[in-house]
Amino acid sequence: MDALDRRLLAELQADARLSYNELSRRVSLSAPAVAERVRRLEADGVIDGYHAHVDLTRAGLPITALVQVQCYGTRCVLRDPAVATWPEVLQLYRVTGGACCVLLVAVPEMARFEELIDRLGGYGQPSTSMILSTPVPWRPVTAP
């Protein structure tokens, strides 16, 4: 990746809906050259998708939490592909430390949160941290 690729990434992270023509204007490169660079960034896996940022509260999911799970032996959250399909699970991380994984979850009401914790209890010992606010909700990746 060079400086131009980084400029393209910055622009796309700010607004992934920009046309190649607008991108070309912003980075001072022809639209076909911009399209080729973006396709290369996609093919190389640098760009792995285009997503809308969703306000969870306005989408009906006001309760968010981080849940650490200390799994019991072979019955592990990470080994059960069904967990990744649970609608409450937004992200699942394999981590170091006392827990084997951390889940970012969002639910519409506390009763659903309790049900989720009960389900996770079948895999191990869950420990929860409710998310009160998000001072840094998302920010673009910048050059290393």
Side-chain angles (χ1 to χ4, degrees):
M1 278 191 18
D2 61 16
L4 190 51
D5 288 337
R6 287 185 181 84
R7 285 178 53 206
L8 284 169
L9 286 175
E11 293 293 342
L12 287 171
Q13 287 179 98
D15 184 356
R17 295 173 55 160
L18 291 174
S19 67
Y20 288 140
N21 285 334
E22 180 60 21
L23 271 172
S24 71
R25 186 186 67 71
R26 292 184 183 194
V27 299
S28 303
L29 191 65
S30 72
V34 163
E36 178 57 33
R37 280 181 174 260
V38 170
R39 280 193 288 273
R40 184 175 42 78
L41 290 167
E42 292 169 343
D44 291 346
V46 175
I47 297 174
D48 68 359
Y50 298 89
H51 313 278
H53 292 281
V54 176
D55 181 308
L56 293 172
T57 299
R58 290 182 181 180
L61 300 167
I63 299 169
T64 56
L66 295 171
V67 182
Q68 295 182 44
V69 183
Q70 287 181 314
C71 292
Y72 304 131
T74 58
R75 180 130 169 89
C76 179
V77 170
L78 296 169
R79 291 192 179 109
D80 186 348
V83 174
T85 68
W86 296 357
E88 304 90 350
V89 176
L90 301 180
Q91 294 180 321
L92 174 58
Y93 300 96
R94 183 177 183 187
V95 298
T96 62
C100 72
C101 62
V102 175
L103 299 89
L104 172 63
V105 301
V107 293
E109 59 190 0
M110 195 53 73
R112 290 278 300 276
F113 185 67
E114 288 183 59
E115 291 170 5
L116 175 63
I117 296 305
D118 290 344
R119 269 189 285 156
L120 288 170
Y123 295 91
Q125 179 63 45
S127 173
T128 65
S129 296
M130 302 304 293
I131 297 174
L132 301 176
S133 66
T134 310
V136 181
W138 177 87
R139 65 175 170 203
V141 174
T142 57

